[in-house]
Amino acid sequence: MPDDIVLDRDRAVLVHRVAREALVNATKHSSAQSVEVRVRQSGMRTRITVSDDGVGFDTTEPRPDGHFGLRILADTVRQAGGSLHISSAPGHGTSVAATFGESTPAIRPTARSASEPLAPGQGRDQGAEAPDHPGR
């Protein structure tokens, strides 16, 4: 993390949420030997990337019932004007990257029922649409 990073409260919260969710998932599901967290800033654009060398997963597979962590994170980041991208493949680890722009509006909790159905395409690797790993 750069020594001179500048984050307002809302972007600091987003960086923390992305790091926490990605680290929890790596700990629970990846069998990773190492995890790298990188935060970069160019002007007021901030990017956090959390990458592991774990087992990875197929991003085209639907997520299991009851696992909403990455989807909720993607919704939160998107509502704040950012983007979330998940890259993974079986045997090749996982990378979670979020980018936030200059003006990050206030973060509001996502009010979504666990029983609410997903829209078509949700839960797949499609830019801001974040998949949930089996068990994630």
Side-chain angles (χ1 to χ4, degrees):
M1 180 177 293
D3 290 333
D4 59 347
I5 193 163
V6 177
L7 294 173
D8 60 28
R9 180 184 176 281
D10 292 332
R11 284 190 297 153
V13 168
L14 283 171
V15 166
H16 178 261
R17 286 184 181 180
V18 171
R20 181 184 63 207
E21 183 65 27
L23 290 169
V24 165
N25 284 346
T27 300
K28 285 184 177 180
H29 310 295
S30 77
S31 300
Q33 295 300 306
S34 66
V35 178
E36 179 179 62
V37 179
R38 297 180 63 142
V39 179
R40 297 287 181 245
Q41 196 168 53
S42 177
M44 293 305 290
R45 189 163 213 62
T46 304
R47 181 174 179 90
I48 177 171
T49 306
V50 181
S51 302
D52 69 56
D53 64 356
V55 297
F57 63 99
D58 184 348
T59 60
T60 64
E61 291 294 317
R63 63 172 174 68
D65 290 337
H67 298 276
F68 300 103
L70 289 174
R71 189 190 77 188
I72 291 170
L73 182 63
D75 290 346
T76 301
V77 170
R78 191 174 34 255
Q79 285 177 348
S83 63
L84 185 75
H85 183 75
I86 312 298
S87 298
S88 190
H92 296 285
T94 300
S95 178
V96 177
T99 304
F100 318 107
E102 288 185 39
S103 56
T104 302
I107 302 165
R108 295 180 217 350
T110 303
R112 188 172 299 217
S113 167
S115 62
E116 183 177 328
L118 293 175
Q122 279 189 317
R124 309 243 181 211
D125 187 6
Q126 299 173 353
E129 298 295 328
D132 265 338
H133 176 274
R136 289 186 183 187

